[in-house]
Amino acid sequence: MNNYFNFENTYTNLPKCFFTEQGVKQVPLPDLIIFNDKLAKSLNINIPLNNKNETAKILSGNFNDKNMNTFAQAYAGHQFGHFTNLGDGRAIILGEHVSKFGKRYDIQLKGSGITPYSRQGDGKAALGPMLREYIISEAMYYLNIPTTRSLSVIKTGEDVFREKKLQGSILTRIAESHIRVGTFQYAAAQQDKKILKSLFDYTVKRHYSNIKNYENIYIELLKEFSLKQINLITNWMRVGFVHGVMNTDNMTLSGETIDYGPCAFMNNYDPNTKFSSIDHMGRYSYKNQPIIAQWNIARFAETLLPLISSNLDEAIKKAEDIIKSIPKTYKTSWLNMMKKKLGLVDNDNEDEKITNSLLSWMEENNADYTNTFVDLMNEENLSQGIYKSNEFKNWFEIYKKRKLRQNFSKSKSLKLMKENNPFVIPRNNIVEDVLLSADRGNLEPLKKFLKILENPYDKNIKISNYYKTDIKSDQPYMTYCGT
Ligand code: AMP
Ligand code: MG
Protein backbone atom coordinates (compact mmCIF):
# COMPACT_ATOMS: atom_id res chain seq x y z
CA MET A 1 0.00 0.00 0.00
CA ASN A 2 1.12 3.58 -0.56
CA ASN A 3 -0.06 7.06 0.13
CA TYR A 4 0.65 9.09 -2.96
CA PHE A 5 -2.71 10.75 -2.47
CA ASN A 6 -4.91 11.29 0.55
CA PHE A 7 -8.06 9.96 -1.05
CA GLU A 8 -11.61 10.27 0.17
CA ASN A 9 -14.75 9.71 -1.83
CA THR A 10 -17.85 11.77 -1.52
CA TYR A 11 -19.10 12.01 -5.11
CA THR A 12 -19.84 8.29 -5.23
CA ASN A 13 -22.33 8.79 -2.37
CA LEU A 14 -24.60 10.58 -4.85
CA PRO A 15 -27.34 8.56 -6.58
CA LYS A 16 -25.86 5.97 -8.94
CA CYS A 17 -27.07 7.71 -12.08
CA PHE A 18 -24.36 10.38 -11.62
CA PHE A 19 -21.39 8.10 -12.33
CA THR A 20 -20.15 4.71 -13.41
CA GLU A 21 -17.52 3.00 -11.34
CA GLN A 22 -14.79 1.68 -13.54
CA GLY A 23 -11.22 0.49 -13.09
CA VAL A 24 -8.29 2.09 -14.89
CA LYS A 25 -6.99 0.13 -17.83
CA GLN A 26 -3.24 -0.42 -17.88
CA VAL A 27 -1.38 1.31 -20.69
CA PRO A 28 1.41 -0.55 -22.50
CA LEU A 29 4.40 1.71 -21.93
CA PRO A 30 3.89 4.64 -19.58
CA ASP A 31 6.58 7.28 -20.11
CA LEU A 32 6.82 10.43 -18.01
CA ILE A 33 6.92 13.62 -20.08
CA ILE A 34 6.31 16.31 -17.51
CA PHE A 35 5.50 16.48 -13.81
CA ASN A 36 4.42 19.54 -11.85
CA ASP A 37 6.59 19.20 -8.79
CA LYS A 38 5.56 22.57 -7.34
CA LEU A 39 1.87 21.75 -7.60
CA ALA A 40 2.38 18.30 -6.08
CA LYS A 41 4.24 19.80 -3.12
CA SER A 42 1.67 22.54 -2.56
CA LEU A 43 -1.13 19.96 -2.39
CA ASN A 44 0.84 17.39 -0.35
CA ILE A 45 0.82 14.85 -3.15
CA ASN A 46 3.68 12.42 -2.48
CA ILE A 47 4.55 10.85 -5.79
CA PRO A 48 8.19 9.69 -5.80
CA LEU A 49 10.35 10.96 -8.64
CA ASN A 50 13.43 8.81 -8.18
CA ASN A 51 12.34 6.22 -10.73
CA LYS A 52 10.86 7.70 -13.90
CA ASN A 53 9.20 4.44 -14.94
CA GLU A 54 7.58 4.03 -11.56
CA THR A 55 6.36 7.65 -11.57
CA ALA A 56 4.87 7.22 -15.04
CA LYS A 57 3.11 4.04 -13.93
CA ILE A 58 1.53 5.85 -10.97
CA LEU A 59 0.44 8.70 -13.23
CA SER A 60 -1.25 6.27 -15.58
CA GLY A 61 -3.42 5.21 -12.62
CA ASN A 62 -1.68 1.88 -12.18
CA PHE A 63 -1.29 1.61 -8.39
CA ASN A 64 -3.18 0.33 -5.37
CA ASP A 65 -4.79 2.52 -2.77
CA LYS A 66 -7.42 1.20 -0.44
CA ASN A 67 -9.38 4.46 -0.70
CA MET A 68 -9.25 4.64 -4.48
CA ASN A 69 -12.65 4.26 -6.05
CA THR A 70 -12.33 5.19 -9.70
CA PHE A 71 -15.27 6.40 -11.77
CA ALA A 72 -16.45 8.33 -14.81
CA GLN A 73 -19.02 11.10 -14.34
CA ALA A 74 -22.31 11.38 -16.18
CA TYR A 75 -23.40 14.81 -17.42
CA ALA A 76 -25.23 16.51 -20.22
CA GLY A 77 -24.79 19.89 -21.86
CA HIS A 78 -25.63 22.36 -24.55
CA GLN A 79 -22.97 22.07 -27.23
CA PHE A 80 -23.10 25.10 -29.56
CA GLY A 81 -26.68 25.55 -28.37
CA HIS A 82 -27.84 21.94 -28.78
CA PHE A 83 -28.71 19.76 -25.81
CA THR A 84 -26.86 16.42 -25.66
CA ASN A 85 -26.17 13.66 -23.16
CA LEU A 86 -22.44 13.54 -22.54
CA GLY A 87 -20.28 12.29 -19.64
CA ASP A 88 -16.59 11.57 -19.20
CA GLY A 89 -15.89 9.92 -22.52
CA ARG A 90 -12.16 9.80 -22.01
CA ALA A 91 -11.59 10.59 -18.36
CA ILE A 92 -11.56 8.74 -15.05
CA ILE A 93 -11.54 10.29 -11.61
CA LEU A 94 -9.12 8.43 -9.34
CA GLY A 95 -10.46 10.03 -6.19
CA GLU A 96 -10.77 13.20 -4.16
CA HIS A 97 -7.44 14.18 -2.68
CA VAL A 98 -7.65 16.18 0.54
CA SER A 99 -4.64 18.42 1.19
CA LYS A 100 -3.28 19.05 4.66
CA PHE A 101 -5.23 22.32 4.67
CA GLY A 102 -8.43 20.33 4.23
CA LYS A 103 -8.98 21.42 0.61
CA ARG A 104 -10.52 18.81 -1.66
CA TYR A 105 -9.43 18.19 -5.26
CA ASP A 106 -10.53 15.73 -7.90
CA ILE A 107 -7.60 13.85 -9.38
CA GLN A 108 -8.62 12.98 -12.92
CA LEU A 109 -6.88 11.16 -15.74
CA LYS A 110 -7.75 12.55 -19.15
CA GLY A 111 -7.13 10.26 -22.09
CA SER A 112 -7.29 7.05 -20.07
CA GLY A 113 -9.55 5.01 -22.36
CA ILE A 114 -13.18 4.42 -23.16
CA THR A 115 -16.00 4.62 -20.62
CA PRO A 116 -19.76 4.03 -20.95
CA TYR A 117 -19.98 7.70 -22.03
CA SER A 118 -17.46 7.50 -24.89
CA ARG A 119 -20.09 7.38 -27.67
CA GLN A 120 -18.13 7.11 -30.95
CA GLY A 121 -14.84 8.28 -29.39
CA ASP A 122 -11.76 6.19 -28.67
CA GLY A 123 -11.36 7.48 -25.11
CA LYS A 124 -7.84 8.58 -25.87
CA ALA A 125 -5.86 11.80 -26.08
CA ALA A 126 -2.76 12.81 -28.00
CA LEU A 127 0.45 14.31 -26.68
CA GLY A 128 0.14 17.75 -28.32
CA PRO A 129 -3.32 18.63 -26.97
CA MET A 130 -2.53 17.31 -23.48
CA LEU A 131 0.68 19.34 -23.29
CA ARG A 132 -1.27 22.29 -24.64
CA GLU A 133 -3.76 21.97 -21.77
CA TYR A 134 -0.82 21.70 -19.37
CA ILE A 135 0.77 24.90 -20.70
CA ILE A 136 -2.37 27.02 -20.88
CA SER A 137 -3.90 25.89 -17.58
CA GLU A 138 -0.65 26.56 -15.73
CA ALA A 139 -0.30 29.92 -17.50
CA MET A 140 -3.82 30.81 -16.38
CA TYR A 141 -3.00 29.87 -12.81
CA TYR A 142 0.03 32.16 -12.74
CA LEU A 143 -2.03 34.93 -14.37
CA ASN A 144 -4.20 34.69 -11.21
CA ILE A 145 -7.23 33.29 -13.01
CA PRO A 146 -9.33 30.51 -11.46
CA THR A 147 -8.52 27.30 -13.31
CA THR A 148 -8.12 23.56 -13.12
CA ARG A 149 -4.43 22.63 -12.91
CA SER A 150 -2.20 20.08 -14.56
CA LEU A 151 -0.13 17.66 -12.51
CA SER A 152 1.49 15.63 -15.27
CA VAL A 153 1.51 14.36 -18.80
CA ILE A 154 2.65 10.86 -19.67
CA LYS A 155 2.84 9.05 -22.96
CA THR A 156 0.98 5.75 -23.00
CA GLY A 157 2.96 3.93 -25.66
CA GLU A 158 -0.20 3.63 -27.75
CA ASP A 159 -0.94 5.30 -31.06
CA VAL A 160 -3.88 7.63 -31.40
CA PHE A 161 -5.38 8.20 -34.80
CA ARG A 162 -6.75 11.63 -35.71
CA GLU A 163 -5.96 13.03 -39.16
CA LYS A 164 -2.68 11.23 -38.68
CA LYS A 165 -0.98 8.90 -36.24
CA LEU A 166 -0.21 10.63 -32.93
CA GLN A 167 1.37 9.64 -29.63
CA GLY A 168 -1.21 8.61 -27.02
CA SER A 169 -1.03 10.52 -23.73
CA ILE A 170 -2.71 11.01 -20.38
CA LEU A 171 -2.98 14.33 -18.57
CA THR A 172 -3.58 14.33 -14.82
CA ARG A 173 -6.01 17.14 -14.18
CA ILE A 174 -6.62 18.63 -10.75
CA ALA A 175 -9.90 20.41 -10.16
CA GLU A 176 -11.80 21.72 -7.16
CA SER A 177 -14.49 19.47 -8.63
CA HIS A 178 -15.83 18.47 -12.02
CA ILE A 179 -19.41 19.55 -11.31
CA ARG A 180 -20.58 21.41 -14.38
CA VAL A 181 -23.70 23.29 -15.43
CA GLY A 182 -24.13 20.18 -17.56
CA THR A 183 -24.17 18.01 -14.44
CA PHE A 184 -27.19 20.00 -13.22
CA GLN A 185 -28.80 19.70 -16.65
CA TYR A 186 -28.28 15.96 -16.45
CA ALA A 187 -29.81 15.88 -12.94
CA ALA A 188 -32.81 17.94 -14.04
CA ALA A 189 -33.36 15.65 -17.04
CA GLN A 190 -33.86 12.71 -14.64
CA GLN A 191 -37.16 14.44 -13.68
CA ASP A 192 -36.81 13.37 -10.07
CA LYS A 193 -36.63 16.19 -7.55
CA LYS A 194 -34.77 14.00 -5.06
CA ILE A 195 -31.95 13.39 -7.53
CA LEU A 196 -31.70 17.09 -8.35
CA LYS A 197 -31.75 18.04 -4.68
CA SER A 198 -28.97 15.56 -3.88
CA LEU A 199 -26.67 17.22 -6.44
CA PHE A 200 -27.68 20.64 -5.20
CA ASP A 201 -26.90 19.79 -1.55
CA TYR A 202 -23.64 18.18 -2.54
CA THR A 203 -22.58 21.25 -4.53
CA VAL A 204 -23.45 23.66 -1.73
CA LYS A 205 -21.49 21.58 0.74
CA ARG A 206 -18.48 21.33 -1.55
CA HIS A 207 -18.34 24.85 -3.00
CA TYR A 208 -20.84 27.19 -1.39
CA SER A 209 -20.90 26.40 2.31
CA ASN A 210 -21.10 30.18 2.94
CA ILE A 211 -24.76 30.20 1.83
CA LYS A 212 -26.00 27.13 3.67
CA ASN A 213 -28.11 29.12 6.15
CA TYR A 214 -29.83 31.41 3.65
CA GLU A 215 -33.60 31.33 3.42
CA ASN A 216 -33.90 30.81 -0.32
CA ILE A 217 -30.69 28.94 -0.77
CA TYR A 218 -31.51 28.10 -4.41
CA ILE A 219 -31.71 31.71 -5.45
CA GLU A 220 -28.63 32.43 -3.38
CA LEU A 221 -26.67 29.74 -5.23
CA LEU A 222 -27.75 31.21 -8.54
CA LYS A 223 -26.55 34.65 -7.43
CA GLU A 224 -23.23 33.40 -6.11
CA PHE A 225 -22.62 31.22 -9.15
CA SER A 226 -23.34 34.17 -11.45
CA LEU A 227 -20.82 36.30 -9.56
CA LYS A 228 -18.17 33.58 -9.83
CA GLN A 229 -18.70 33.34 -13.57
CA ILE A 230 -18.70 37.12 -14.02
CA ASN A 231 -15.40 37.25 -12.17
CA LEU A 232 -14.01 34.48 -14.35
CA ILE A 233 -15.06 36.01 -17.66
CA THR A 234 -13.80 39.44 -16.58
CA ASN A 235 -10.42 37.84 -15.98
CA TRP A 236 -10.46 36.12 -19.36
CA MET A 237 -11.21 39.47 -21.00
CA ARG A 238 -8.40 41.09 -19.01
CA VAL A 239 -5.71 38.89 -20.54
CA GLY A 240 -7.31 38.33 -23.96
CA PHE A 241 -8.17 34.68 -23.37
CA VAL A 242 -10.65 33.05 -25.74
CA HIS A 243 -11.98 29.79 -24.30
CA GLY A 244 -13.37 28.69 -27.62
CA VAL A 245 -15.89 26.09 -26.49
CA MET A 246 -18.09 27.57 -23.80
CA ASN A 247 -20.61 24.75 -23.90
CA THR A 248 -22.58 24.31 -20.68
CA ASP A 249 -20.63 21.14 -19.92
CA ASN A 250 -17.49 23.25 -19.89
CA MET A 251 -18.66 25.65 -17.17
CA THR A 252 -17.88 24.56 -13.63
CA LEU A 253 -19.80 25.25 -10.44
CA SER A 254 -16.47 25.94 -8.73
CA GLY A 255 -15.88 28.88 -11.10
CA GLU A 256 -12.66 27.38 -12.45
CA THR A 257 -11.78 27.57 -16.13
CA ILE A 258 -12.05 24.04 -17.49
CA ASP A 259 -11.45 22.10 -20.68
CA TYR A 260 -8.60 23.62 -22.57
CA GLY A 261 -9.46 22.48 -26.06
CA PRO A 262 -9.64 25.08 -28.79
CA CYS A 263 -8.66 27.98 -26.54
CA ALA A 264 -5.98 30.57 -27.28
CA PHE A 265 -4.84 34.07 -26.41
CA MET A 266 -5.60 36.98 -28.69
CA ASN A 267 -2.62 38.87 -30.15
CA ASN A 268 -3.97 41.92 -31.98
CA TYR A 269 -7.00 43.43 -30.34
CA ASP A 270 -10.01 42.26 -32.32
CA PRO A 271 -13.25 41.65 -30.41
CA ASN A 272 -14.33 39.12 -33.05
CA THR A 273 -11.32 36.92 -32.45
CA LYS A 274 -12.20 33.23 -32.49
CA PHE A 275 -9.92 30.25 -32.84
CA SER A 276 -12.03 27.12 -32.89
CA SER A 277 -12.16 25.52 -36.34
CA ILE A 278 -15.79 24.51 -35.88
CA ASP A 279 -17.04 27.85 -34.52
CA HIS A 280 -18.19 29.19 -37.89
CA MET A 281 -20.60 31.74 -36.45
CA GLY A 282 -18.20 33.07 -33.84
CA ARG A 283 -20.58 32.00 -31.06
CA TYR A 284 -17.61 31.71 -28.71
CA SER A 285 -15.58 34.69 -29.94
CA TYR A 286 -13.76 36.99 -27.50
CA LYS A 287 -16.51 39.61 -27.40
CA ASN A 288 -19.31 37.04 -27.03
CA GLN A 289 -17.91 35.41 -23.90
CA PRO A 290 -19.92 37.49 -21.40
CA ILE A 291 -23.09 37.02 -23.44
CA ILE A 292 -22.61 33.26 -23.63
CA ALA A 293 -21.84 33.14 -19.92
CA GLN A 294 -25.24 34.71 -19.29
CA TRP A 295 -26.87 32.21 -21.66
CA ASN A 296 -25.21 29.32 -19.82
CA ILE A 297 -26.21 30.70 -16.43
CA ALA A 298 -29.80 30.89 -17.69
CA ARG A 299 -29.59 27.18 -18.58
CA PHE A 300 -28.32 26.55 -15.05
CA ALA A 301 -31.19 28.58 -13.59
CA GLU A 302 -33.69 26.45 -15.51
CA THR A 303 -32.43 23.34 -13.77
CA LEU A 304 -33.11 24.93 -10.37
CA LEU A 305 -36.69 26.01 -11.07
CA PRO A 306 -38.38 22.98 -9.40
CA LEU A 307 -36.35 23.69 -6.27
CA ILE A 308 -36.81 27.47 -6.17
CA SER A 309 -40.61 27.26 -5.85
CA SER A 310 -43.39 24.76 -6.43
CA ASN A 311 -45.12 27.62 -8.25
CA LEU A 312 -43.41 27.63 -11.64
CA ASP A 313 -44.29 31.26 -12.51
CA GLU A 314 -42.91 32.44 -9.22
CA ALA A 315 -39.73 30.38 -9.70
CA ILE A 316 -39.23 31.79 -13.20
CA LYS A 317 -39.74 35.35 -12.01
CA LYS A 318 -37.17 34.97 -9.23
CA ALA A 319 -34.61 33.36 -11.50
CA GLU A 320 -35.21 35.89 -14.27
CA ASP A 321 -34.52 38.80 -11.98
CA ILE A 322 -31.02 37.46 -11.42
CA ILE A 323 -30.36 36.53 -15.03
CA LYS A 324 -31.48 39.98 -16.19
CA SER A 325 -29.14 41.68 -13.75
CA ILE A 326 -26.06 39.91 -15.17
CA PRO A 327 -25.20 42.34 -18.01
CA LYS A 328 -25.13 45.31 -15.64
CA THR A 329 -23.06 43.49 -13.02
CA TYR A 330 -20.70 42.28 -15.72
CA LYS A 331 -20.31 45.74 -17.18
CA THR A 332 -19.34 47.18 -13.80
CA SER A 333 -16.92 44.32 -13.25
CA TRP A 334 -15.43 44.77 -16.74
CA LEU A 335 -15.03 48.53 -16.37
CA ASN A 336 -13.36 48.14 -12.96
CA MET A 337 -10.99 45.63 -14.52
CA MET A 338 -10.15 47.89 -17.47
CA LYS A 339 -9.58 50.78 -15.10
CA LYS A 340 -7.06 48.69 -13.20
CA LYS A 341 -5.30 47.92 -16.48
CA LEU A 342 -5.12 51.67 -17.04
CA GLY A 343 -4.07 52.46 -13.46
CA LEU A 344 -7.28 54.36 -12.73
CA VAL A 345 -9.13 54.54 -9.45
CA ASP A 346 -12.08 56.69 -8.24
CA ASN A 347 -15.08 57.14 -10.47
CA ASP A 348 -14.98 59.58 -13.30
CA ASN A 349 -17.63 60.13 -15.97
CA GLU A 350 -14.95 59.84 -18.63
CA ASP A 351 -13.77 56.35 -17.67
CA GLU A 352 -15.90 54.30 -19.98
CA LYS A 353 -15.23 56.61 -22.90
CA ILE A 354 -11.48 56.62 -22.30
CA THR A 355 -11.44 52.83 -22.16
CA ASN A 356 -13.56 52.32 -25.24
CA SER A 357 -11.71 54.84 -27.34
CA LEU A 358 -8.41 53.12 -26.55
CA LEU A 359 -9.90 49.77 -27.54
CA SER A 360 -11.29 51.20 -30.79
CA TRP A 361 -7.93 52.70 -31.59
CA MET A 362 -6.26 49.36 -30.89
CA GLU A 363 -8.69 47.58 -33.16
CA GLU A 364 -8.20 50.05 -36.01
CA ASN A 365 -4.43 49.93 -35.73
CA ASN A 366 -3.99 46.20 -35.22
CA ALA A 367 -2.38 46.92 -31.89
CA ASP A 368 -1.30 43.97 -29.82
CA TYR A 369 -3.64 43.71 -26.81
CA THR A 370 -1.01 42.60 -24.28
CA ASN A 371 1.82 44.78 -25.51
CA THR A 372 -0.24 47.97 -25.68
CA PHE A 373 -0.83 47.83 -21.95
CA VAL A 374 2.82 46.93 -21.37
CA ASP A 375 3.80 50.01 -23.36
CA LEU A 376 1.38 52.19 -21.43
CA MET A 377 3.34 51.23 -18.31
CA ASN A 378 6.49 52.67 -19.85
CA GLU A 379 6.07 56.03 -21.54
CA GLU A 380 9.42 55.65 -23.35
CA ASN A 381 7.81 52.99 -25.53
CA LEU A 382 5.14 55.45 -26.66
CA SER A 383 7.37 57.49 -28.94
CA GLN A 384 7.54 54.85 -31.64
CA GLY A 385 5.48 53.06 -34.26
CA ILE A 386 1.72 53.32 -34.12
CA TYR A 387 1.90 55.52 -31.04
CA LYS A 388 3.20 58.41 -33.17
CA SER A 389 -0.23 59.02 -34.66
CA ASN A 390 -2.21 62.11 -33.65
CA GLU A 391 -5.15 59.95 -32.76
CA PHE A 392 -3.14 58.11 -30.14
CA LYS A 393 -1.48 61.29 -28.88
CA ASN A 394 -4.88 62.91 -28.39
CA TRP A 395 -6.15 59.91 -26.50
CA PHE A 396 -3.03 59.84 -24.37
CA GLU A 397 -3.47 63.53 -23.39
CA ILE A 398 -7.02 62.88 -22.23
CA TYR A 399 -5.86 59.79 -20.33
CA LYS A 400 -3.04 61.70 -18.65
CA LYS A 401 -5.43 64.46 -17.56
CA ARG A 402 -7.81 61.86 -16.16
CA LYS A 403 -4.96 60.38 -14.16
CA LEU A 404 -4.09 63.77 -12.73
CA ARG A 405 -7.65 64.12 -11.45
CA GLN A 406 -7.38 61.06 -9.22
CA ASN A 407 -6.31 60.94 -5.63
CA PHE A 408 -3.72 58.23 -6.24
CA SER A 409 0.05 58.56 -6.56
CA LYS A 410 1.83 57.81 -9.82
CA SER A 411 3.70 54.91 -8.25
CA LYS A 412 0.52 53.36 -6.86
CA SER A 413 -1.15 53.69 -10.23
CA LEU A 414 1.80 51.96 -11.90
CA LYS A 415 1.72 49.19 -9.31
CA LEU A 416 -1.97 48.61 -10.02
CA MET A 417 -1.23 48.37 -13.74
CA LYS A 418 1.63 45.95 -13.17
CA GLU A 419 -0.62 43.66 -11.17
CA ASN A 420 -3.18 43.53 -13.95
CA ASN A 421 -1.20 43.67 -17.19
CA PRO A 422 0.90 40.60 -17.95
CA PHE A 423 4.20 41.02 -19.81
CA VAL A 424 3.97 37.53 -21.09
CA ILE A 425 1.11 35.28 -22.19
CA PRO A 426 1.28 31.92 -23.93
CA ARG A 427 1.57 33.27 -27.46
CA ASN A 428 0.14 30.91 -30.06
CA ASN A 429 3.28 30.78 -32.18
CA ILE A 430 5.45 29.90 -29.19
CA VAL A 431 2.98 27.32 -27.91
CA GLU A 432 3.06 25.66 -31.33
CA ASP A 433 6.88 25.73 -31.46
CA VAL A 434 7.35 24.12 -28.06
CA LEU A 435 4.72 21.49 -28.83
CA LEU A 436 6.45 20.61 -32.07
CA SER A 437 9.77 20.18 -30.26
CA ALA A 438 8.10 18.10 -27.55
CA ASP A 439 6.47 15.88 -30.15
CA ARG A 440 9.93 15.22 -31.58
CA GLY A 441 11.27 14.36 -28.14
CA ASN A 442 12.93 17.66 -27.15
CA LEU A 443 11.27 18.89 -23.95
CA GLU A 444 13.70 21.70 -23.16
CA PRO A 445 11.80 24.52 -24.97
CA LEU A 446 8.59 23.44 -23.22
CA LYS A 447 10.21 23.45 -19.79
CA LYS A 448 11.86 26.82 -20.42
CA PHE A 449 8.56 28.30 -21.58
CA LEU A 450 6.69 26.96 -18.54
CA LYS A 451 9.26 28.60 -16.27
CA ILE A 452 8.73 31.95 -18.02
CA LEU A 453 4.96 31.59 -17.70
CA GLU A 454 5.32 31.29 -13.94
CA ASN A 455 6.11 35.02 -13.67
CA PRO A 456 3.88 36.74 -16.19
CA TYR A 457 3.84 40.05 -14.33
CA ASP A 458 7.59 40.21 -13.81
CA LYS A 459 9.25 42.60 -16.22
CA ASN A 460 12.74 41.68 -15.08
CA ILE A 461 12.68 38.23 -16.53
CA LYS A 462 14.42 37.90 -19.90
CA ILE A 463 11.34 37.62 -22.01
CA SER A 464 12.19 39.52 -25.16
CA ASN A 465 11.50 36.44 -27.29
CA TYR A 466 8.18 35.98 -25.63
CA TYR A 467 7.15 39.61 -25.48
CA LYS A 468 7.16 40.86 -29.03
CA THR A 469 5.31 39.11 -31.75
CA ASP A 470 5.46 39.67 -35.45
CA ILE A 471 2.16 37.95 -36.02
CA LYS A 472 -0.06 40.44 -37.77
CA SER A 473 -3.35 38.67 -37.29
CA ASP A 474 -4.70 35.75 -35.31
CA GLN A 475 -7.21 34.71 -37.86
CA PRO A 476 -5.21 31.99 -39.63
CA TYR A 477 -4.53 30.41 -36.24
CA MET A 478 -6.95 27.53 -35.80
CA THR A 479 -7.51 25.23 -32.89
CA TYR A 480 -9.43 21.97 -32.86
CA CYS A 481 -12.04 20.28 -30.68
CA GLY A 482 -12.13 16.59 -29.87
CA THR A 483 -8.39 16.31 -29.86
P1 AMP B 1 -15.08 18.48 -24.92
O1 AMP B 1 -15.21 19.07 -26.26
O2 AMP B 1 -13.65 18.16 -24.52
O3 AMP B 1 -15.79 19.25 -23.86
O4 AMP B 1 -15.76 17.05 -24.99
C1 AMP B 1 -17.11 16.88 -25.23
C2 AMP B 1 -17.51 15.46 -24.92
O5 AMP B 1 -16.86 14.54 -25.79
C3 AMP B 1 -17.18 15.02 -23.51
O6 AMP B 1 -18.23 14.22 -23.06
C4 AMP B 1 -15.91 14.25 -23.69
O7 AMP B 1 -15.72 13.30 -22.68
C5 AMP B 1 -16.15 13.59 -25.03
N1 AMP B 1 -14.90 13.25 -25.75
C6 AMP B 1 -13.98 14.11 -26.26
N2 AMP B 1 -13.00 13.43 -26.87
C7 AMP B 1 -13.27 12.11 -26.73
C8 AMP B 1 -12.63 10.89 -27.14
N3 AMP B 1 -11.48 10.90 -27.82
N4 AMP B 1 -13.24 9.73 -26.82
C9 AMP B 1 -14.40 9.70 -26.14
N5 AMP B 1 -15.05 10.80 -25.75
C10 AMP B 1 -14.50 12.00 -26.02
MG1 MG C 1 -15.84 19.19 -21.93
Side-chain angles (χ1 to χ4, degrees), residues 371 424 430 452 459 461-469:
N371 292 354
V424 55
I430 301 172
I452 301 271
K459 194 190 165 197
I461 207 154
K462 289 227 174 314
I463 56 163
S464 54
N465 289 346
Y466 303 99
Y467 163 57
K468 281 290 176 198
T469 168

Side-chain angles (χ1 to χ4, degrees), residues 75 79 87 89-90 118-119 121-124 162 249-250 259:
Y75 53 86
Q79 298 196 300
R90 56 165 170 177
S118 295
R119 297 176 294 162
D122 60 3
K124 294 178 186 172
R162 298 293 180 255
D249 56 299
N250 292 337
D259 237 330

Side-chain angles (χ1 to χ4, degrees), residues 236-247:
W236 290 359
M237 303 304 271
R238 173 170 67 84
V239 298
F241 176 74
V242 183
H243 182 282
V245 59
M246 285 179 71
N247 295 333

Side-chain angles (χ1 to χ4, degrees), residues 359-373:
L359 292 175
S360 302
W361 174 84
M362 283 165 68
E363 190 180 352
E364 277 159 30
N365 291 277
N366 289 324
D368 184 272
Y369 183 60
T370 301
N371 292 354
T372 302
F373 287 97

